PDB file of all heavy atoms in Angstrom:
ATOM      1  N   ALA A 285     125.194 115.048 121.970  1.00  0.00           N
ATOM      2  CA  ALA A 285     126.179 114.110 121.434  1.00  0.00           C
ATOM      3  C   ALA A 285     125.740 112.674 121.683  1.00  0.00           C
ATOM      4  O   ALA A 285     125.958 111.800 120.845  1.00  0.00           O
ATOM      5  CB  ALA A 285     127.543 114.369 122.061  1.00  0.00           C
ATOM      6  N   SER A 286     125.105 112.417 122.821  1.00  0.00           N
ATOM      7  CA  SER A 286     124.700 111.048 123.139  1.00  0.00           C
ATOM      8  C   SER A 286     123.583 110.561 122.224  1.00  0.00           C
ATOM      9  O   SER A 286     123.493 109.366 121.919  1.00  0.00           O
ATOM     10  CB  SER A 286     124.259 110.944 124.602  1.00  0.00           C
ATOM     11  OG  SER A 286     123.174 111.810 124.872  1.00  0.00           O
ATOM     12  N   SER A 287     122.730 111.469 121.757  1.00  0.00           N
ATOM     13  CA  SER A 287     121.697 111.110 120.778  1.00  0.00           C
ATOM     14  C   SER A 287     122.198 111.274 119.351  1.00  0.00           C
ATOM     15  O   SER A 287     121.584 110.767 118.414  1.00  0.00           O
ATOM     16  CB  SER A 287     120.448 111.983 120.963  1.00  0.00           C
ATOM     17  OG  SER A 287     119.801 111.742 122.185  1.00  0.00           O
ATOM     18  N   ASP A 288     123.302 112.006 119.179  1.00  0.00           N
ATOM     19  CA  ASP A 288     123.850 112.378 117.871  1.00  0.00           C
ATOM     20  C   ASP A 288     122.822 113.121 117.029  1.00  0.00           C
ATOM     21  O   ASP A 288     122.684 112.900 115.830  1.00  0.00           O
ATOM     22  CB  ASP A 288     124.389 111.166 117.111  1.00  0.00           C
ATOM     23  CG  ASP A 288     125.363 111.574 115.998  1.00  0.00           C
ATOM     24  OD1 ASP A 288     125.825 112.732 116.014  1.00  0.00           O
ATOM     25  OD2 ASP A 288     125.637 110.741 115.123  1.00  0.00           O
ATOM     26  N   ILE A 289     122.109 114.030 117.687  1.00  0.00           N
ATOM     27  CA  ILE A 289     121.109 114.863 117.020  1.00  0.00           C
ATOM     28  C   ILE A 289     121.401 116.324 117.341  1.00  0.00           C
ATOM     29  O   ILE A 289     121.677 116.679 118.488  1.00  0.00           O
ATOM     30  CB  ILE A 289     119.678 114.518 117.483  1.00  0.00           C
ATOM     31  CG1 ILE A 289     119.262 113.143 116.951  1.00  0.00           C
ATOM     32  CG2 ILE A 289     118.673 115.580 117.023  1.00  0.00           C
ATOM     33  CD1 ILE A 289     119.079 113.074 115.458  1.00  0.00           C
ATOM     34  N   ALA A 290     121.349 117.177 116.318  1.00  0.00           N
ATOM     35  CA  ALA A 290     121.466 118.619 116.499  1.00  0.00           C
ATOM     36  C   ALA A 290     120.339 119.294 115.738  1.00  0.00           C
ATOM     37  O   ALA A 290     119.844 118.771 114.728  1.00  0.00           O
ATOM     38  CB  ALA A 290     122.816 119.119 116.001  1.00  0.00           C
ATOM     39  N   LEU A 291     119.935 120.454 116.250  1.00  0.00           N
ATOM     40  CA  LEU A 291     118.876 121.223 115.608  1.00  0.00           C
ATOM     41  C   LEU A 291     119.446 122.573 115.179  1.00  0.00           C
ATOM     42  O   LEU A 291     120.087 123.275 115.973  1.00  0.00           O
ATOM     43  CB  LEU A 291     117.707 121.423 116.579  1.00  0.00           C
ATOM     44  CG  LEU A 291     116.323 121.669 115.962  1.00  0.00           C
ATOM     45  CD1 LEU A 291     115.903 120.503 115.081  1.00  0.00           C
ATOM     46  CD2 LEU A 291     115.286 121.901 117.057  1.00  0.00           C
ATOM     47  N   LEU A 292     119.218 122.919 113.918  1.00  0.00           N
ATOM     48  CA  LEU A 292     119.650 124.188 113.354  1.00  0.00           C
ATOM     49  C   LEU A 292     118.423 125.020 113.011  1.00  0.00           C
ATOM     50  O   LEU A 292     117.320 124.490 112.874  1.00  0.00           O
ATOM     51  CB  LEU A 292     120.477 123.969 112.077  1.00  0.00           C
ATOM     52  CG  LEU A 292     121.560 122.896 112.104  1.00  0.00           C
ATOM     53  CD1 LEU A 292     122.246 122.803 110.738  1.00  0.00           C
ATOM     54  CD2 LEU A 292     122.575 123.176 113.201  1.00  0.00           C
ATOM     55  N   LYS A 293     118.619 126.313 112.861  1.00  0.00           N
ATOM     56  CA  LYS A 293     117.522 127.144 112.378  1.00  0.00           C
ATOM     57  C   LYS A 293     118.032 128.036 111.261  1.00  0.00           C
ATOM     58  O   LYS A 293     119.220 128.370 111.185  1.00  0.00           O
ATOM     59  CB  LYS A 293     116.919 127.988 113.502  1.00  0.00           C
ATOM     60  CG  LYS A 293     117.779 129.165 113.953  1.00  0.00           C
ATOM     61  CD  LYS A 293     117.008 130.064 114.920  1.00  0.00           C
ATOM     62  CE  LYS A 293     117.860 131.279 115.323  1.00  0.00           C
ATOM     63  NZ  LYS A 293     117.136 132.189 116.230  1.00  0.00           N
ATOM     64  N   THR A 294     117.099 128.384 110.368  1.00  0.00           N
ATOM     65  CA  THR A 294     117.404 129.333 109.309  1.00  0.00           C
ATOM     66  C   THR A 294     116.180 130.209 109.101  1.00  0.00           C
ATOM     67  O   THR A 294     115.103 129.943 109.646  1.00  0.00           O
ATOM     68  CB  THR A 294     117.802 128.613 108.005  1.00  0.00           C
ATOM     69  OG1 THR A 294     118.392 129.550 107.099  1.00  0.00           O
ATOM     70  CG2 THR A 294     116.616 127.947 107.346  1.00  0.00           C
ATOM     71  N   ASN A 295     116.341 131.263 108.307  1.00  0.00           N
ATOM     72  CA  ASN A 295     115.256 132.198 108.049  1.00  0.00           C
ATOM     73  C   ASN A 295     114.219 131.546 107.134  1.00  0.00           C
ATOM     74  O   ASN A 295     114.542 131.095 106.042  1.00  0.00           O
ATOM     75  CB  ASN A 295     115.827 133.468 107.408  1.00  0.00           C
ATOM     76  CG  ASN A 295     114.760 134.519 107.161  1.00  0.00           C
ATOM     77  OD1 ASN A 295     114.050 134.455 106.170  1.00  0.00           O
ATOM     78  ND2 ASN A 295     114.656 135.478 108.068  1.00  0.00           N
ATOM     79  N   LEU A 296     112.975 131.486 107.598  1.00  0.00           N
ATOM     80  CA  LEU A 296     111.929 130.805 106.844  1.00  0.00           C
ATOM     81  C   LEU A 296     111.638 131.503 105.523  1.00  0.00           C
ATOM     82  O   LEU A 296     111.498 130.847 104.481  1.00  0.00           O
ATOM     83  CB  LEU A 296     110.656 130.707 107.686  1.00  0.00           C
ATOM     84  CG  LEU A 296     109.435 130.079 107.003  1.00  0.00           C
ATOM     85  CD1 LEU A 296     109.728 128.658 106.541  1.00  0.00           C
ATOM     86  CD2 LEU A 296     108.233 130.102 107.942  1.00  0.00           C
ATOM     87  N   SER A 297     111.555 132.824 105.536  1.00  0.00           N
ATOM     88  CA  SER A 297     111.257 133.560 104.301  1.00  0.00           C
ATOM     89  C   SER A 297     112.348 133.340 103.257  1.00  0.00           C
ATOM     90  O   SER A 297     112.061 133.166 102.066  1.00  0.00           O
ATOM     91  CB  SER A 297     111.102 135.056 104.590  1.00  0.00           C
ATOM     92  OG  SER A 297     110.004 135.298 105.433  1.00  0.00           O
ATOM     93  N   ALA A 298     113.609 133.344 103.718  1.00  0.00           N
ATOM     94  CA  ALA A 298     114.719 133.121 102.793  1.00  0.00           C
ATOM     95  C   ALA A 298     114.644 131.717 102.200  1.00  0.00           C
ATOM     96  O   ALA A 298     114.879 131.517 101.004  1.00  0.00           O
ATOM     97  CB  ALA A 298     116.046 133.329 103.512  1.00  0.00           C
ATOM     98  N   LEU A 299     114.300 130.741 103.034  1.00  0.00           N
ATOM     99  CA  LEU A 299     114.178 129.367 102.558  1.00  0.00           C
ATOM    100  C   LEU A 299     113.061 129.251 101.535  1.00  0.00           C
ATOM    101  O   LEU A 299     113.233 128.647 100.465  1.00  0.00           O
ATOM    102  CB  LEU A 299     113.919 128.426 103.737  1.00  0.00           C
ATOM    103  CG  LEU A 299     113.619 126.963 103.400  1.00  0.00           C
ATOM    104  CD1 LEU A 299     114.760 126.327 102.622  1.00  0.00           C
ATOM    105  CD2 LEU A 299     113.333 126.174 104.675  1.00  0.00           C
ATOM    106  N   GLN A 300     111.924 129.846 101.828  1.00  0.00           N
ATOM    107  CA  GLN A 300     110.779 129.747 100.915  1.00  0.00           C
ATOM    108  C   GLN A 300     110.998 130.539  99.634  1.00  0.00           C
ATOM    109  O   GLN A 300     110.399 130.224  98.605  1.00  0.00           O
ATOM    110  CB  GLN A 300     109.508 130.202 101.624  1.00  0.00           C
ATOM    111  CG  GLN A 300     109.076 129.248 102.732  1.00  0.00           C
ATOM    112  CD  GLN A 300     107.881 129.722 103.516  1.00  0.00           C
ATOM    113  OE1 GLN A 300     107.638 130.937 103.631  1.00  0.00           O
ATOM    114  NE2 GLN A 300     107.114 128.792 104.063  1.00  0.00           N
ATOM    115  N   SER A 301     111.855 131.557  99.687  1.00  0.00           N
ATOM    116  CA  SER A 301     112.169 132.284  98.456  1.00  0.00           C
ATOM    117  C   SER A 301     113.025 131.441  97.526  1.00  0.00           C
ATOM    118  O   SER A 301     112.979 131.587  96.308  1.00  0.00           O
ATOM    119  CB  SER A 301     112.889 133.599  98.786  1.00  0.00           C
ATOM    120  OG  SER A 301     114.191 133.357  99.285  1.00  0.00           O
ATOM    121  N   VAL A 302     113.820 130.521  98.110  1.00  0.00           N
ATOM    122  CA  VAL A 302     114.609 129.594  97.302  1.00  0.00           C
ATOM    123  C   VAL A 302     113.713 128.518  96.717  1.00  0.00           C
ATOM    124  O   VAL A 302     113.801 128.171  95.531  1.00  0.00           O
ATOM    125  CB  VAL A 302     115.739 128.963  98.143  1.00  0.00           C
ATOM    126  CG1 VAL A 302     116.473 127.886  97.345  1.00  0.00           C
ATOM    127  CG2 VAL A 302     116.713 130.026  98.610  1.00  0.00           C
ATOM    128  N   ASN A 303     112.834 127.963  97.552  1.00  0.00           N
ATOM    129  CA  ASN A 303     111.884 126.942  97.096  1.00  0.00           C
ATOM    130  C   ASN A 303     110.641 127.005  97.972  1.00  0.00           C
ATOM    131  O   ASN A 303     110.665 126.543  99.118  1.00  0.00           O
ATOM    132  CB  ASN A 303     112.502 125.552  97.148  1.00  0.00           C
ATOM    133  CG  ASN A 303     111.581 124.496  96.547  1.00  0.00           C
ATOM    134  OD1 ASN A 303     110.395 124.727  96.345  1.00  0.00           O
ATOM    135  ND2 ASN A 303     112.128 123.329  96.260  1.00  0.00           N
ATOM    136  N   PRO A 304     109.549 127.570  97.458  1.00  0.00           N
ATOM    137  CA  PRO A 304     108.329 127.694  98.269  1.00  0.00           C
ATOM    138  C   PRO A 304     107.644 126.364  98.550  1.00  0.00           C
ATOM    139  O   PRO A 304     106.723 126.300  99.368  1.00  0.00           O
ATOM    140  CB  PRO A 304     107.428 128.598  97.406  1.00  0.00           C
ATOM    141  CG  PRO A 304     107.921 128.401  96.012  1.00  0.00           C
ATOM    142  CD  PRO A 304     109.400 128.174  96.125  1.00  0.00           C
ATOM    143  N   ASP A 305     108.084 125.286  97.882  1.00  0.00           N
ATOM    144  CA  ASP A 305     107.429 123.990  98.045  1.00  0.00           C
ATOM    145  C   ASP A 305     108.085 123.090  99.088  1.00  0.00           C
ATOM    146  O   ASP A 305     107.629 121.968  99.298  1.00  0.00           O
ATOM    147  CB  ASP A 305     107.405 123.247  96.708  1.00  0.00           C
ATOM    148  CG  ASP A 305     106.521 123.939  95.683  1.00  0.00           C
ATOM    149  OD1 ASP A 305     105.497 124.506  96.085  1.00  0.00           O
ATOM    150  OD2 ASP A 305     106.867 123.909  94.488  1.00  0.00           O
ATOM    151  N   VAL A 306     109.162 123.564  99.731  1.00  0.00           N
ATOM    152  CA  VAL A 306     109.788 122.731 100.756  1.00  0.00           C
ATOM    153  C   VAL A 306     108.781 122.468 101.863  1.00  0.00           C
ATOM    154  O   VAL A 306     107.903 123.290 102.136  1.00  0.00           O
ATOM    155  CB  VAL A 306     111.056 123.391 101.340  1.00  0.00           C
ATOM    156  CG1 VAL A 306     112.126 123.547 100.292  1.00  0.00           C
ATOM    157  CG2 VAL A 306     110.725 124.729 101.984  1.00  0.00           C
TER     158      VAL A 306
END
Side-chain angles (χ1 to χ4, degrees):
S286 59
S287 294
D288 199 15
I289 290 292
L291 205 60
L292 314 179
K293 74 171 182 179
T294 194
N295 182 278
L296 177 59
S297 296
L299 174 59
Q300 292 176 332
S301 69
V302 174
N303 186 345
D305 293 325
V306 296

